Amino acid sequence: MSKKNVIFKLGLVAMLLVSLVIFLAMNSNEEFIVEDNPHGMREEIVNLNSRCPPGFKLNDLNQCKAQNLYMQYDSPNGMGVGGLQTGLPEIRDGFTPQEIDLGRYLFFDPVLSGNGDMSCGSCHDPALGFSDGQATSIGNDSLKLKRGAPSLWNVAFLKKLFWDGRAATLEEQMQGPLFSHEEMNNTPDKLLTTLNGIKEYKRLFLQAFPAKEETENIELPEVYQSLAAFQASLISLNSKYDRYAHGFHDALNQKEKEGMNVFRSFVARCAECHTPPLFTNQQFAIIGTPEPNGLPLDPGAEVPQKDKTLRGAFKIPSLRNIEKTAPYMHSGNFKTLRETVEFYTKGRGHAVPEGENLLIHWHIWEPELSGYELDRLVDFLKTLTDETFTPKIPQTVPSGLEPSIKPISI
Amino acid sequence: MKSTLSKIIVAVALLVIGVFVGKSFFSSNASEAVPIPSGLTYRNVGHTADAGKAISPRAFEGQIIEVKNGGSIQEAVESASPGDLIRVYPGTYSENVYIDKSDISLQGVVINGDWPTLDGKKEINDAFLYSGDGILIENFKIVNYKGNAIMGQSGNNFVIRNNWIIDTGVYGIFPQHGKNGLIEHNVLSVIADAAIYVGMCDNVDVLHNEVFDNVAGIEIENSRHCLVENNYTHNNTGGILAFVTPGLPIKTTFDVIIRNNFVVDNNHVNFGAPGSTVAGIPKGTGILIMAADEVIVENNIITGNDNSGITIVDLANGDPKANDPNVEGNPDRLVILDNIMYNNGNETSGELKAIMLTQLDTKGPDIFAFGGGVGSTIRDKNKYRTFGLGDYGAAQISNTKDVVTMMTPEPVAPRFVSKEQLGELTYYGVCAGCHAFGTRLIGVPTEFIQMIHKDNPQGIVDYINAPKNLREDYPEMPPQNYLSEEAKMAVAEYILAYDAGLE
């Protein structure tokens, strides 16, 4: 007892000492983290974070390199698809901590939109799985768009972006919403003029891109790079499922395990396309889901690929954090996971509009899943939730505008 | 010569040791004297080389767990550790067994012709699902499942042999995303898709199996380096298939040898599910090569297949699916060596029938090629009745006798991760969500942990397993006991060794 006491006291003293040292050594360059903001005062962005977000290690080149437990495993043919202990697909990493942090401010700053009222975060809200809870997103001027906002979790692993897979890089992808009249309604010129008119941003871009001359203007590639850096830092690989996959079999309860076995069985065939460890094989699939009432069939990848055989094809989405991103499918026709999994057992092509001849994917068949099995599938899908690495939403953004997303209080 | 002799001596010695070990273990009961899985050291010596080396590098030293009628195979799997052997005695087991561990052997014990039988009663999806490396499954009778008898999702170095599989739904034996495996001496029938389906795998031998009354007998799909040899495929819709399916993440099939098989009377009516790839196979298809490259067909007996003996087709003609821009859909550089072919094409159907009619012929050919493809050759074209082989040149090889196996010479080793790397992966991949050097996140700064547990990694491990909140100003850490013992110790040592001054 007394021994423990001594240790405890020593530890306490040591901790006090350390805190003192840290306090003294605290680099005034670091971002000043305001824990709460009782007086409504603006958070001062002193400097960009020089640390990598969780899931990344800083290397000697000031780059954040991904680190996760899946790096223990090989991946067959380097594709990042397989079973429980399979390596992930190649990740887009190597951004600097400053780029990532600048991207975080940009991401939540409505100044990026033409009207100054939408940020990336408006449709990719951390509280909603980096989606927006809408069947289809709301764009500029309250316009109802045609597709739902995909989650951004683990987007660094994806080789196809947008539901119809028309972009191969985040840089290419973001120009879609930024400069679409229906979405953020900005133009490249206007965006640059705006950003270059904000002293805070000029200063922060200099920090993120130290090779720049002080007199140089902010350039579009720097904006893209920063936003890509932030989005690529959104890693979710520590779910209950992952604990099971790494060998802790008590991480899932009996019902969840049953659900996992339905998921990977060749009756339901979920895992054939939503293949672990990312829960997507990153291919296109035509599954013939219904559009919400009144909407015509979305031709999907047929348009960008200019290929009629891909009519109605969409990118197979990852299922990580799927619990958080209702409603489901490209136009949000299904409100719940239960409705979504039920779609797959209602008959091959049952919802294809008359007159359409879609080349429905061969894995869509008549698995005759029972209600019990559908419930278990939902149980399993909920084990793919992990938001432990959710980044902080800035309380204030460099433009001084009201952030369109409020910070979550943890 | 010498090495062959020494191999035989080693093999005999191993066999003797195996028998001795087996006897000393089970001398009390003759019915239990089934040899421990040897990883094939005694089989195919001199024929397929020493295939066992490729599967299991070491002698058996695990525990033996017995399952008797009325017991649960899954419970045995849950109690098993890597290296263990689960022996299942005759009886009926209606279970879905899933093996998410490595190096587990499951061995049925057949006594007086009574098999341990997994019966899915047409209610259960799969008999065996596995994801681990080094899985062996042998001597089971598996009937009436809805999905598969044996399905692997990843898992290298697998052995699936001596199983008797009837009507297990979509597939019989289906390893997927695996490297280095052996499927042999299985008997499979009444499967609605492929009886043996090697999907997105590498280095797999499929030997000595009998497959009949299925839609597809043996299917090599989006897989490379496969040997299909000495199989008896009869009365399927299609006997042996090597092809590429578009829209899968692994895009190629090449380096496949189809050799010394009986491919006879594959005339079963097609009962494949609508929309499935095999649903489009015309009955009477002996061997089908679709979009696969570098397939060698040698020394097979291909007779009595009513559509054609060998069908070679590109994706555009063979499998109208959504296009995949990353798939090259032509069968290229095929080699057809000597085969015995007669009595094929007696009752053509579908596209082939229409094409043959344009030739004023009602009988289908022994070899039918249609669509694109370059660089293919044939050894003695004049021997066979052929269609579409006009641009096939003379084969540059006469046999493949130097290829004794497609399996890897050694088992595929798991990725090597040092203790330090594991510690680092765990620290940044898990702990960094709440801890960092030099700053407070959710938990204490990492240097606090260093101070508290200086020179005492076990202290950190204990805390990880059962945190006791030391500080009122921090939330209590949830236990991180799900981490493996190795990861916990590795991360503890990593944290203590970390020099923050380097940051």
Side-chain angles (χ1 to χ4, degrees):
Chain A
M1 274 306 269
S2 66
K3 212 175 184 183
K4 267 191 183 164
N5 251 328
V6 172
I7 291 172
F8 183 67
K9 276 180 187 164
L10 274 174
L12 213 63
V13 170
M15 275 184 278
L16 283 171
L17 275 171
V18 169
S19 356
L20 187 68
V21 169
I22 286 169
F23 179 72
L24 292 174
M26 203 149 75
N27 192 340
S28 62
N29 288 340
E30 296 298 332
E31 179 192 351
F32 181 56
I33 300 167
V34 181
E35 287 303 329
D36 49 348
N37 198 3
H39 310 297
M41 273 166 64
R42 291 265 309 279
E43 172 190 2
E44 194 183 349
I45 306 157
V46 179
N47 255 334
L48 294 174
N49 199 342
S50 59
R51 292 191 176 85
C52 294
F56 294 88
K57 183 193 179 193
L58 192 69
N59 69 10
D60 295 342
L61 303 169
N62 193 37
Q63 295 168 326
C64 298
K65 300 298 279 182
Q67 300 276 300
N68 59 68
L69 290 177
Y70 282 98
M71 291 166 79
Q72 295 172 84
Y73 315 125
D74 276 320
S75 138
N77 294 295
M79 294 304 294
V81 284
L84 279 77
Q85 299 197 344
T86 296
L88 286 154
E90 199 185 338
I91 187 171
R92 177 97 191 270
D93 63 357
F95 296 101
T96 69
Q98 292 81 5
E99 288 166 353
I100 294 170
D101 203 32
L102 174 58
R104 186 173 64 98
Y105 288 114
L106 290 166
F107 187 88
F108 291 105
D109 196 335
V111 82
L112 264 64
S113 60
N115 309 357
D117 54 5
M118 275 180 87
S119 70
C120 308
S122 302
C123 295
H124 301 283
D125 183 345
L128 298 165
F130 281 93
S131 182
D132 59 6
Q134 305 284 329
T136 62
S137 296
I138 314 272
N140 174 36
D141 222 3
S142 305
L143 183 72
K144 193 84 179 148
L145 302 172
K146 292 200 175 89
R147 291 178 186 154
S151 170
L152 299 181
W153 281 113
N154 297 320
V155 75
F157 296 102
L158 301 185
K159 316 293 181 249
K160 286 188 175 89
L161 301 162
F162 289 120
W163 277 105
D164 58 14
R166 67 183 183 274
T169 64
L170 286 163
E171 287 86 337
E172 193 187 336
Q173 182 278 332
M174 66 184 70
Q175 296 175 51
L178 276 171
F179 306 131
S180 155
H181 177 64
E182 287 85 27
E183 299 187 44
M184 293 170 79
N185 193 31
N186 214 334
T187 66
D189 287 346
K190 185 165 177 231
L191 175 60
L192 283 186
T193 311
T194 309
L195 290 178
N196 279 307
I198 299 170
K199 253 196 186 157
E200 265 309 71
Y201 270 125
K202 291 209 72 164
R203 191 174 64 79
L204 295 176
F205 271 81
L206 272 178
Q207 275 184 30
F209 301 96
K212 274 173 94 73
E213 297 288 334
E214 223 166 290
T215 51
E216 279 181 278
N217 274 333
I218 296 167
E219 302 287 348
L220 282 173
E222 295 159 353
V223 178
Y224 302 157
Q225 171 99 350
S226 309
L227 281 168
F230 172 66
Q231 293 178 70
S233 75
L234 304 171
I235 302 294
S236 169
L237 296 169
N238 290 323
S239 65
K240 275 167 77 176
Y241 162 80
D242 294 301
R243 296 173 181 188
Y244 182 93
H246 297 310
F248 184 68
H249 290 183
D250 291 340
L252 302 186
N253 66 34
Q254 196 52 37
K255 286 181 169 175
E256 291 161 344
K257 286 178 190 170
E258 284 177 40
M260 177 178 67
N261 287 333
V262 176
F263 185 87
R264 59 182 166 172
S265 146
F266 215 81
V267 175
R269 307 186 183 185
C270 314
E272 293 303 306
C273 292
H274 298 285
T275 315
L278 201 56
F279 290 84
T280 169
N281 67 5
Q282 307 213 43
Q283 306 296 308
F284 287 124
I286 305 166
I287 63 172
T289 58
E291 304 291 352
N293 285 343
L295 279 182
L297 178 101
D298 186 332
E302 177 192 5
V303 177
Q305 298 284 325
K306 300 184 181 66
D307 186 339
K308 282 204 176 328
T309 70
L310 290 170
R311 183 163 178 79
F314 293 97
K315 177 188 75 174
I316 294 160
S318 168
L319 300 182
R320 286 183 173 275
N321 282 328
I322 193 72
E323 179 188 9
K324 300 288 174 178
T325 61
Y328 301 106
M329 303 297 186
H330 64 273
S331 50
N333 190 57
F334 301 125
K335 289 189 179 59
T336 63
L337 284 173
R338 184 61 162 70
E339 285 173 60
T340 311
V341 294
E342 196 182 4
F343 162 81
Y344 293 90
T345 197
K346 281 181 143 177
R348 184 178 156 82
H350 71 271
V352 176
E354 239 176 272
E356 290 283 352
N357 182 25
L358 304 184
L359 292 169
I360 297 286
H361 198 281
W362 62 98
H363 285 320
I364 302 295
W365 71 313
E366 327 250 317
E368 293 172 16
L369 301 174
S370 66
Y372 181 83
E373 286 177 308
L374 296 175
D375 289 340
R376 297 296 77 76
L377 275 176
V378 173
D379 291 342
F380 174 66
L381 290 172
K382 290 181 177 174
T383 71
L384 300 175
T385 302
D386 162 42
E387 299 180 300
T388 48
F389 290 0
T390 303
K392 269 203 167 104
I393 300 174
Q395 300 194 328
T396 54
V397 286
S399 67
L401 295 174
E402 270 300 293
S404 43
I405 299 287
K406 295 280 174 274
I408 322 163
S409 52
I410 299 169
Chain B
M1 196 53 200
K2 241 182 186 172
S3 75
T4 312
L5 197 66
S6 64
K7 270 184 190 168
I8 291 173
I9 290 170
V10 169
V12 169
L14 281 173
L15 188 60
V16 169
I17 293 167
V19 169
F20 176 75
V21 170
K23 274 195 175 160
S24 50
F25 260 116
F26 302 110
S27 52
S28 61
N29 186 342
S31 72
E32 291 180 357
V34 178
I36 281 156
S38 64
L40 277 222
T41 40
Y42 60 91
R43 209 183 282 277
N44 290 331
V45 175
H47 172 62
T48 54
D50 188 357
K53 257 187 14 192
I55 296 299
S56 174
R58 25 171 223 281
F60 174 78
E61 17 180 71
Q63 301 292 311
I64 294 178
I65 302 167
E66 298 195 328
V67 183
K68 300 256 165 86
N69 196 14
S72 157
I73 305 171
Q74 182 59 31
E75 276 175 25
V77 168
E78 278 161 27
S79 68
S81 303
D84 288 354
L85 166 64
I86 297 166
R87 316 185 96 173
V88 183
Y89 284 80
T92 300
Y93 304 85
S94 289
E95 296 187 64
N96 168 17
V97 179
Y98 53 101
I99 310 150
D100 294 321
K101 299 178 178 182
S102 289
D103 298 315
I104 303 289
S105 297
L106 291 119
Q107 181 186 57
V109 178
V110 184
I111 299 174
N112 276 335
D114 281 341
W115 289 61
T117 303
L118 281 89
D119 185 349
K121 300 178 172 169
K122 284 290 161 193
E123 287 167 7
I124 308 175
N125 292 333
D126 310 278
F128 291 103
L129 288 172
Y130 69 83
S131 69
D133 291 339
I135 301 298
L136 177 144
I137 299 173
E138 66 179 8
N139 308 345
F140 288 96
K141 183 176 182 184
I142 307 173
V143 298
N144 294 327
Y145 279 83
K146 287 165 68 185
N148 301 273
I150 302 167
M151 178 178 185
Q153 273 166 338
S154 78
N156 301 328
N157 311 324
F158 55 87
V159 180
I160 301 167
R161 65 184 175 195
N162 306 348
N163 298 292
W164 176 16
I165 295 169
I166 305 167
D167 190 7
T168 53
V170 189
Y171 299 121
I173 295 170
F174 176 25
Q176 195 177 30
H177 297 300
K179 187 175 171 75
N180 191 37
L182 177 64
I183 302 168
E184 65 160 17
H185 292 106
N186 302 284
V187 182
L188 303 99
S189 58
V190 203
I191 309 291
D193 200 305
I196 296 175
Y197 171 16
V198 176
M200 294 190 265
C201 287
D202 291 88
N203 305 97
V204 178
D205 283 2
V206 181
L207 313 174
H208 317 293
N209 301 283
E210 183 184 11
V211 290
F212 60 99
D213 296 353
N214 311 292
V215 173
I218 297 169
E219 183 175 310
I220 306 295
E221 184 208 48
N222 297 35
S223 295
R224 292 137 304 279
H225 318 299
C226 295
L227 173 64
V228 180
E229 180 156 35
N230 292 338
N231 300 284
Y232 179 27
T233 69
H234 58 102
N235 201 34
N236 307 287
T237 305
I240 299 176
L241 286 52
F243 63 83
V244 174
T245 291
L248 294 176
I250 311 289
K251 307 285 185 187
T252 56
T253 294
F254 60 84
D255 191 20
V256 176
I257 296 180
I258 301 172
R259 187 171 69 185
N260 293 327
N261 301 284
F262 290 90
V263 185
V264 299
D265 300 334
N266 288 290
N267 300 319
H268 200 292
V269 66
N270 192 325
F271 58 102
S276 66
T277 301
V278 298
I281 297 174
K283 78 182 175 79
T285 299
I287 292 175
L288 173 68
I289 300 168
M290 181 167 69
D293 299 336
E294 292 155 32
V295 181
I296 300 174
V297 183
E298 179 190 10
N299 271 342
N300 301 285
I301 294 176
I302 308 170
T303 64
N305 302 290
D306 280 348
N307 205 50
S308 78
I310 303 175
T311 301
I312 298 162
V313 68
D314 61 14
L315 271 185
N317 288 294
D319 188 26
K321 282 195 169 75
N323 291 332
D324 183 337
N326 298 314
V327 162
E328 198 283 311
N330 292 321
D332 301 315
R333 300 176 302 284
L334 312 177
V335 183
I336 298 173
L337 297 174
D338 285 332
N339 292 278
I340 292 185
M341 302 183 77
Y342 63 82
N343 201 28
N344 295 302
N346 288 331
E347 196 191 334
T348 56
S349 56
E351 217 164 288
L352 178 57
K353 187 174 187 176
I355 289 165
M356 294 322 286
L357 280 174
T358 67
Q359 308 295 303
L360 303 175
D361 200 343
T362 52
K363 202 169 149 75
D366 289 323
I367 308 174
F368 170 63
F370 194 68
V374 294
S376 293
T377 57
I378 181 165
R379 182 164 153 80
D380 185 3
K381 185 157 50 174
N382 296 330
K383 236 165 78 167
Y384 317 105
R385 295 177 302 107
T386 65
F387 177 89
L389 270 60
D391 56 352
Y392 277 48
Q396 302 298 299
I397 54 168
S398 59
N399 63 68
T400 60
K401 68 173 189 238
D402 293 337
V403 182
V404 290
T405 177
M406 289 288 192
M407 290 162 63
T408 55
E410 301 287 334
V412 179
R415 166 175 286 214
F416 174 75
V417 180
S418 71
K419 196 170 190 185
E420 198 195 0
Q421 284 169 315
L422 179 59
E424 186 170 277
L425 294 176
T426 309
Y427 177 72
Y428 288 101
V430 179
C431 310
C434 296
H435 301 283
F437 280 97
T439 190
R440 172 184 172 158
L441 298 176
I442 292 162
V444 295
T446 311
E447 57 270 29
F448 283 31
I449 304 171
Q450 283 182 328
M451 293 288 283
I452 296 165
H453 298 287
K454 190 170 176 353
D455 297 328
N456 180 18
Q458 188 58 45
I460 299 181
V461 173
D462 293 344
Y463 193 93
I464 288 171
N465 283 328
K468 32 195 180 302
N469 199 358
L470 298 176
R471 322 174 120 256
E472 274 183 11
D473 49 341
Y474 284 88
E476 184 163 324
M477 176 171 119
Q480 311 291 323
N481 55 341
Y482 57 87
L483 293 169
S484 69
E485 295 307 317
E486 300 83 57
K488 281 183 275 201
M489 184 50 80
V491 77
E493 290 180 2
Y494 181 83
I495 286 172
L496 292 180
Y498 190 93
D499 185 351
L502 295 177
E503 239 196 11

